[in-house]
Amino acid sequence: MQPGLGNTTAFSDGALTSNEDFPRDQSGVFQTNFAQVSETTVLTDGESTWTAGDRKLLITEKLPAGPRKFTLSHTTVANSASYRLSTRAQDVWTFRSDPSSNSGAPLIDPLLTASGLDAFGHVGTAPVTVSVSARSRLSSRAGAVTVTGIAWSADDGAHWTDLPVTAGTKAGTATARLTAPATTPWVSLRVTAADALGNTVTRTLTRAFGGPAAAPEGHTGALAISDVDITDPPLVVTGNQELTADYTVTDPSGTAAADLVLYQGSYDRPTGMLTEPSRPVCTPLSATAQRCTATLSKYDPLRLGAANAGTWHLAVVADSTTGPERPDPVGHGRRHRALTSHLTHRPRP
């Protein structure tokens, strides 16, 4: 999952409007189709800063005419128990432009691919080729685009390792080889590129793909998930039915998002998954705790057949009010196998 090409950031009547897209996969399916996603857009010109929050256009006032340097960042954060890859995607552009130009901003779009991913988006211990193709939205007017760096991280971007970059035969293309250690659960990627006019981009994909190791529970801060309960187990697939799960989330700073998913197999390589796109209903228990109820409703018997019979597990993901979508995350919790249930398949009469 990563932002696509040709999004919309442009000057009109001296003001800049930015409407960058959410990440999507290679087939064009947007991340928002199956994950809770928050968005932040920030523009600065060294003197002023303009910020737009979730699903809002960024629109500045009319700016003085004449070339000036801008920095634009667009960040999306996916937080859902059913979503484990590309949990954070960020583009940071620096560019020089004249607000009176009434034209698109000279942004660079880099696209990343990785070889050797399995059906679950993971790699083994064999070397992986990371390929980058970058192009300017100004096309030939910006001159040649050069990929200036490719780096990877095994700890969600806390530390980065630069990779040797091999330039491709076409302008704006490059590759790098990466071997993920056997202990790596997630691989984050960062790529930088520049055009001949000096405009630059840094794209960072947190957890771009999975590594050889199994996903850890994942926990930061003092956030806790407890008292998880599923009503009416075991599940019997004979038609549509509902399953309700209750759980308590606590954090000293208060709690925000709290999502869940029912899965079969392992958490990072599931053989079956059931999730509800709507947010759970949460009732405050105190200033620091809330009790949440989520309903996975109307299972389609065509989706759940005899092959899905067996053990299923519940995973819960929760954040504090200053969770990972914020600049300074305080609390985040992810519990796999928070509860286990058994699904029985009975053919229709």
Side-chain angles (χ1 to χ4, degrees):
M1 286 285 182
Q2 61 188 311
L5 297 172
N7 298 315
T8 305
T9 295
F11 290 99
S12 178
D13 295 326
L16 182 135
T17 299
S18 182
N19 186 25
E20 295 296 310
D21 276 344
F22 290 99
R24 64 181 79 189
D25 66 13
Q26 292 89 333
S27 62
V29 177
F30 281 102
Q31 191 176 48
T32 48
N33 286 14
F34 50 91
Q36 305 290 346
V37 179
S38 61
E39 174 187 31
T40 305
T41 306
V42 180
L43 176 76
T44 180
D45 66 352
E47 299 178 358
S48 302
T49 299
W50 299 266
T51 302
D54 198 18
R55 292 166 176 78
K56 301 293 184 181
L57 290 176
L58 184 146
I59 305 176
T60 71
E61 71 269 18
K62 188 171 182 178
L63 301 169
R68 60 203 304 180
K69 186 176 181 179
F70 295 91
T71 299
L72 175 69
S73 67
H74 181 250
T75 306
T76 58
V77 176
N79 180 39
S80 171
S82 63
Y83 204 76
R84 295 174 296 280
L85 297 178
S86 295
T87 53
R88 187 175 188 271
Q90 182 181 62
D91 285 326
V92 178
W93 295 277
T94 65
F95 61 96
R96 192 168 182 83
S97 190
D98 185 344
S100 64
S101 62
N102 288 330
S103 62
L107 305 186
I108 301 170
D109 294 311
L111 291 180
L112 291 79
T113 60
S115 66
L117 301 184
D118 64 18
F120 302 102
H122 288 253
V123 296
T125 55
V128 175
T129 299
V130 177
S131 301
V132 180
S133 176
R135 72 182 191 189
S136 171
R137 298 184 193 178
L138 287 184
S139 189
S140 59
R141 289 178 292 163
V145 175
T146 303
V147 176
T148 55
I150 302 174
W152 82 284
S153 171
D155 53 12
D156 292 350
H159 303 87
W160 291 95
T161 300
D162 291 323
L163 298 171
V165 176
T166 301
T169 56
K170 294 183 179 180
T173 63
T175 59
R177 295 280 279 175
L178 160 67
T179 301
T183 55
T184 305
W186 312 107
V187 173
S188 300
L189 295 174
R190 185 178 66 192
V191 60
T192 56
D195 65 22
L197 299 179
N199 304 309
T200 69
V201 65
T202 299
R203 171 165 292 181
T204 304
L205 300 180
T206 303
R207 301 188 179 185
F209 54 86
E217 285 293 309
H219 184 271
T220 60
L223 186 139
I225 302 166
S226 61
D227 299 327
V228 183
D229 180 51
I230 297 180
T231 59
D232 299 323
L235 305 175
V236 180
V237 182
T238 56
N240 291 341
Q241 78 180 91
E242 291 186 343
L243 177 144
T244 300
D246 300 286
Y247 46 94
T248 299
V249 182
T250 59
D251 189 273
S253 66
T255 57
D259 199 13
L260 64 80
V261 63
L262 196 67
Y263 66 97
Q264 187 181 43
S266 67
Y267 181 71
D268 53 347
R269 294 171 175 83
T271 56
M273 181 180 291
L274 293 169
T275 186
E276 182 69 16
S278 59
R279 286 291 194 187
V281 176
C282 297
T283 302
L285 301 177
S286 67
T288 61
Q290 58 181 332
R291 184 71 173 168
C292 297
T293 300
T295 300
L296 304 175
S297 60
K298 296 184 178 179
Y299 298 157
D300 187 343
L302 295 178
R303 292 171 57 203
L304 292 179
N308 299 117
T311 301
W312 285 69
H313 311 285
L314 189 76
V316 179
V317 170
D319 291 311
S320 68
T321 52
T322 50
E325 73 279 1
R326 309 283 181 151
D328 300 305
V330 172
H332 176 74
R334 184 182 295 266
R335 287 189 60 195
H336 314 160
R337 297 175 183 258
L339 202 65
T340 296
S341 184
H342 190 79
L343 185 146
T344 302
H345 179 264
R346 294 177 184 170
R348 290 182 175 182

